[in-house]
Amino acid sequence: MSSMTRGIGQETKGRRSLKRIGLSLGSVVVFYGAMYTLAPDTALTALKASAKISLALCLPLSLVFSVMFLLNLFVRPAQIAGVFSRNTGMKGMLLSAAAGIISMGPIFAWYPLMKKMREEGAGEGPIAVFLYNRAVKPFLLPVMIAYFGWTYVALVTILTILGSIVLGYSMNAVSGD
Amino acid sequence: MKVAISAEDTTLGAPVSRRFGVSPYLIIVDLDTGEWEAVRNPGSSGKRGAGVEAIVLVISKGVNAVVTGYCSPPIRKHLESNGVDVFTGLSGTVEDAVGIYRKGEIQKKQEFESNALDRWSFLRAGTITNAFKSSGNQFATMLPILFSVVLLMGLVNALVPGELLASLFSGSALFDTLWGACLGSILAGNPVNSYVIGGELLKQGVSLFAVTALIITWVTVGLVQLPAEMAALGRRFALVRNAVCFILAVPIALMTVVILNVVTG
């Protein structure tokens, strides 16, 4: 019974998410429509600016799809669970960072697995490190590089990973793990 | 050496459950020490994705082999690719199954070509199609919001003068970083949106300190997801993690820009 309730809950959540996406896009389109009737020149300028941004994104996005495909081909959720470490030492932190980097999908999709890992004795440090490193997205790097350049992306990536280790030890200290 | 046997109940005398993924219990036996434990199989709910939970349990318990009546091909593939051997076709009691396994009488069924050593498994048509489908779905989910963001940025470009945007930022590295971090903590969604917003704001004259803090906190701090995180991982964990992430974003953003300026001159 409880699993049934959970199933329905998940379905509703999925529908809500689709609704939200439709609403976001719909409201922007409606706003453009309203603007076109009030100030057609400004609306056209905005559309031209959007088209320019879209064009600039075409190549990076095709690369994004390629990297996404390769990750889906080689990396599976069970492997990420295998890489994720319950160990609160440096090795555990680094493994959890690697698991966070290769993980894909929305953050809330990973909460159940993290909850389970926590229940089975995983330290708070590795879980926090995993969640933090989801900011490092290999498949999105083409877009980031297109906007900010290689050097910047390399620096942000390195400092984010280092920051996650600091976070991991801070969480360990707070929780007493 | 640990063996997990799918079981109908929590004792060694329980019958071996026919299906690994949805069996009520898994009895994990340490063959070296003889110790065993019965664990409720999270996959027994039969809900979608339940098999993955059973796989995660087996891997997290350090199991080396699974002994069961039947194991579906996807679950077998995941287990084997994680170094867990799968033995099927077993019946009788859990104790019998352990005895048969100990004697080495059990034959590993070669029902599928793939195993952990098959490094070319990804070349199979099914695997490639699945990867393509998954990528297509993920990409399709990402695009509508990204498109909305692009349209919004077009509006910002047309309506908000660059000078006005830039004036919202004081020019002080610390203040701009904090302001960017606040913005990134409130906003949420796919990180690609933060790159587009950040990149466009940068073109409008907003400082790189603010943009960097926005990009970092976009994923690491989630005020929108906070209730979900608290429900899953606990109130204290979620609050402390988000607070530390916010604080960390400031030095990371400052260091990134300062080092970048040094490197690029």
Side-chain angles (χ1 to χ4, degrees):
Chain A
M1 186 68 192
S2 64
S3 65
M4 210 172 166
T5 314
R6 252 201 314 274
I8 292 165
Q10 279 171 350
E11 200 175 307
T12 312
K13 202 171 179 180
R15 275 189 198 152
R16 265 209 307 265
S17 172
L18 272 178
K19 215 173 172 180
R20 206 172 52 232
I21 290 170
L23 262 175
S24 313
L25 190 55
S27 43
V28 177
V29 171
V30 167
F31 193 83
Y32 262 87
M35 176 167 277
Y36 188 75
T37 53
L38 296 169
D41 286 347
T42 315
L44 283 176
T45 310
L47 262 182
K48 275 180 193 165
S50 304
K52 206 174 160 188
I53 298 169
S54 304
L55 273 177
L57 280 172
C58 279
L59 181 65
L61 281 179
S62 57
L63 286 171
V64 164
F65 185 83
S66 310
V67 184
M68 230 177 211
F69 171 71
L70 288 175
L71 280 173
N72 278 316
L73 195 58
F74 292 109
V75 184
R76 295 178 182 89
Q79 285 172 313
I80 293 170
V83 172
F84 179 83
S85 176
R86 284 180 283 173
N87 189 322
T88 51
M90 179 55 88
K91 191 183 168 193
M93 299 288 187
L94 292 174
L95 284 172
S96 302
I101 291 168
I102 57 175
S103 68
M104 290 204 283
I107 193 164
F108 49 79
W110 290 94
Y111 288 151
L113 177 66
M114 292 299 105
K115 186 182 178 188
K116 182 157 187 56
M117 292 292 190
R118 184 83 190 106
E119 284 164 0
E120 286 175 4
E124 288 193 355
I127 291 174
V129 169
F130 174 89
L131 294 175
Y132 199 90
N133 276 286
R134 289 180 38 73
V136 181
K137 288 275 145 279
F139 64 93
L140 291 178
L141 288 184
V143 177
M144 208 180 183
I145 291 164
Y147 269 111
F148 305 102
W150 277 101
T151 321
Y152 175 86
V153 172
L155 272 172
V156 169
T157 306
I158 293 166
L159 290 172
T160 301
I161 296 169
L162 290 176
S164 75
I165 306 295
V166 175
L167 169 73
Y169 279 108
S170 308
M171 294 302 290
N172 280 347
V174 172
S175 67
D177 281 334
Chain B
M1 173 77 183
K2 283 186 179 177
V3 182
I5 303 108
S6 59
E8 291 294 332
D9 209 339
T10 56
T11 63
L12 291 177
V16 172
S17 186
R18 209 173 69 78
R19 291 177 61 117
F20 165 76
V22 292
S23 71
Y25 297 95
L26 293 176
I27 294 187
I28 299 167
V29 183
D30 189 326
L31 296 180
D32 302 322
T33 63
E35 287 175 1
W36 62 276
E37 63 170 327
V39 188
R40 181 150 194 89
N41 183 2
S44 62
S45 63
K47 69 179 181 351
R48 203 172 167 213
V52 175
E53 292 182 47
I55 295 167
V56 170
L57 172 71
V58 164
I59 295 167
S60 66
K61 290 279 181 187
V63 168
N64 308 96
V66 161
V67 175
T68 184
Y70 169 78
C71 182
S72 70
I75 293 181
R76 173 188 283 266
K77 201 167 75 182
H78 281 313
L79 286 170
E80 290 186 337
S81 66
N82 281 284
V84 180
D85 288 330
V86 180
F87 299 93
T88 52
L90 269 288
S91 55
T93 66
V94 171
E95 202 164 16
D96 295 340
V98 174
I100 293 169
Y101 184 85
R102 271 188 194 280
K103 288 176 195 163
E105 290 168 0
I106 198 165
Q107 291 297 310
K108 188 177 176 187
K109 299 216 169 186
Q110 301 297 321
E111 292 168 18
F112 310 96
E113 290 170 8
S114 70
N115 60 40
L117 299 173
D118 182 3
R119 64 179 67 179
W120 303 109
S121 63
F122 63 86
L123 284 179
R124 280 196 208 96
T127 317
I128 293 172
T129 313
N130 285 341
F132 200 77
K133 273 185 192 167
S134 301
S135 313
N137 287 338
Q138 286 158 355
F139 204 70
T141 315
M142 188 178 90
L143 278 185
I145 297 286
L146 180 63
F147 190 54
S148 308
V149 168
V150 167
L151 284 173
L152 273 175
M153 291 322 292
L155 277 174
V156 170
N157 279 341
L159 293 174
V160 187
E163 300 80 39
L164 179 69
L165 263 179
S167 71
L168 291 175
F169 295 84
S170 68
S172 142
L174 186 63
F175 179 83
D176 286 0
T177 307
L178 281 170
W179 184 215
C182 289
L183 207 60
S185 304
I186 298 162
L187 298 171
N190 196 302
V192 73
N193 300 328
S194 72
Y195 307 156
V196 175
I197 293 172
E200 294 303 318
L201 287 177
L202 199 62
K203 284 179 193 167
Q204 298 286 323
V206 172
S207 81
L208 190 55
F209 289 107
V211 168
T212 308
L214 178 134
I215 289 172
I216 294 168
T217 49
W218 185 283
V219 176
T220 59
V221 183
L223 290 185
V224 176
Q225 301 103 323
L226 198 59
E229 188 176 343
M230 285 198 288
L233 298 165
R235 188 186 168 87
R236 187 187 54 80
F237 174 89
L239 291 174
V240 173
R241 191 193 73 78
N242 279 279
V244 177
C245 286
F246 183 88
I247 295 164
L248 264 177
V250 177
I252 292 177
L254 290 171
M255 282 165 72
T256 302
V257 181
V258 169
I259 297 173
L260 184 74
N261 287 340
V262 171
V263 171
T264 57

